[in-house]
Amino acid sequence: MNENVLGITAAILTSAAMLPQLIKILKNKNVDDLSWITLLILIVGVSLWVWYGIIKDELPIILSNAFSALINVTLLIFYIIFRNK
Amino acid sequence: MNENVLGITAAILTSAAMLPQLIKILKNKNVDDLSWITLLILIVGVSLWVWYGIIKDELPIILSNAFSALINVTLLIFYIIFRNK
């Protein structure tokens, strides 16, 4: 496989991976088994990747990790909303 | 921040992020709110990153994503074990 196609496919998959988790939470309105520490570490981690992408001027790194950050921040917000349900 | 320090910090955080989730699952033996589709996409995605790292000969990409793959495969195994509890 061409290395760019491989990298882009990998980036799309790892960025979009949390979408089914978000959909599940929105459907069930239940977050008991989720780890908010995981979400927090992911948010900090992907935000650092965005910063790294900006320094290295690599748009795919910036875009894929900014998308991840958005999904994980949304997940954390719904975690807080549904936590005490 | 030095870009290598930044990249390594980001890689460590995003690789280790699922560890608290794994610990929570092992403690509570409950996976009702987890999305197995998310785990499956993550496993495929980080495995492609390992492949990408091998082609580009970038050890940090290989190591951090191989570690992620290991954690996510372990999570999926415990998902299957605890699913019908």
Side-chain angles (χ1 to χ4, degrees):
Chain A
M1 205 190 295
N2 175 289
E3 68 186 43
N4 286 326
V5 176
L6 185 60
I8 290 165
T9 310
I12 290 173
L13 288 177
T14 47
S15 306
M18 289 304 249
L19 269 178
Q21 181 66 70
L22 179 59
I23 292 166
K24 181 156 196 175
I25 294 303
L26 290 176
K27 260 194 204 157
N28 298 352
K29 300 184 183 6
N30 213 43
V31 294
D32 293 347
D33 305 328
L34 279 198
S35 163
W36 64 268
I37 306 170
T38 285
L39 295 176
L40 203 64
I41 296 173
L42 276 176
I43 292 165
V44 176
V46 298
S47 300
L48 291 185
W49 276 127
V50 172
W51 184 6
Y52 179 86
I54 292 167
I55 290 175
K56 300 274 269 186
D57 200 18
E58 291 196 40
L59 197 61
I61 293 182
I62 298 169
L63 290 181
S64 59
N65 285 288
F67 181 75
S68 276
L70 186 73
I71 303 281
N72 283 298
V73 167
T74 310
L75 262 171
L76 189 59
I77 290 169
F78 282 106
Y79 180 93
I80 293 162
I81 292 172
F82 294 144
R83 184 182 40 173
N84 295 318
K85 231 187 41 79
Chain B
M1 203 193 293
N2 174 289
E3 67 185 42
N4 286 327
V5 176
L6 184 59
I8 290 165
T9 310
I12 290 172
L13 288 177
T14 47
S15 306
M18 289 304 248
L19 269 178
Q21 181 65 71
L22 179 60
I23 292 165
K24 181 156 197 177
I25 294 303
L26 290 176
K27 260 195 204 154
N28 298 352
K29 301 184 183 3
N30 213 42
V31 294
D32 293 348
D33 305 329
L34 279 199
S35 163
W36 64 268
I37 306 170
T38 285
L39 295 177
L40 204 63
I41 297 173
L42 277 176
I43 291 165
V44 176
V46 297
S47 300
L48 291 185
W49 276 126
V50 172
W51 185 7
Y52 179 86
I54 291 168
I55 290 175
K56 301 273 268 185
D57 200 19
E58 290 196 42
L59 198 61
I61 293 181
I62 298 170
L63 290 182
S64 59
N65 286 288
F67 182 74
S68 275
L70 186 72
I71 303 283
N72 284 298
V73 166
T74 310
L75 262 171
L76 189 59
I77 290 169
F78 281 107
Y79 180 92
I80 294 164
I81 293 172
F82 295 144
R83 183 183 39 172
N84 295 317
K85 235 186 39 78

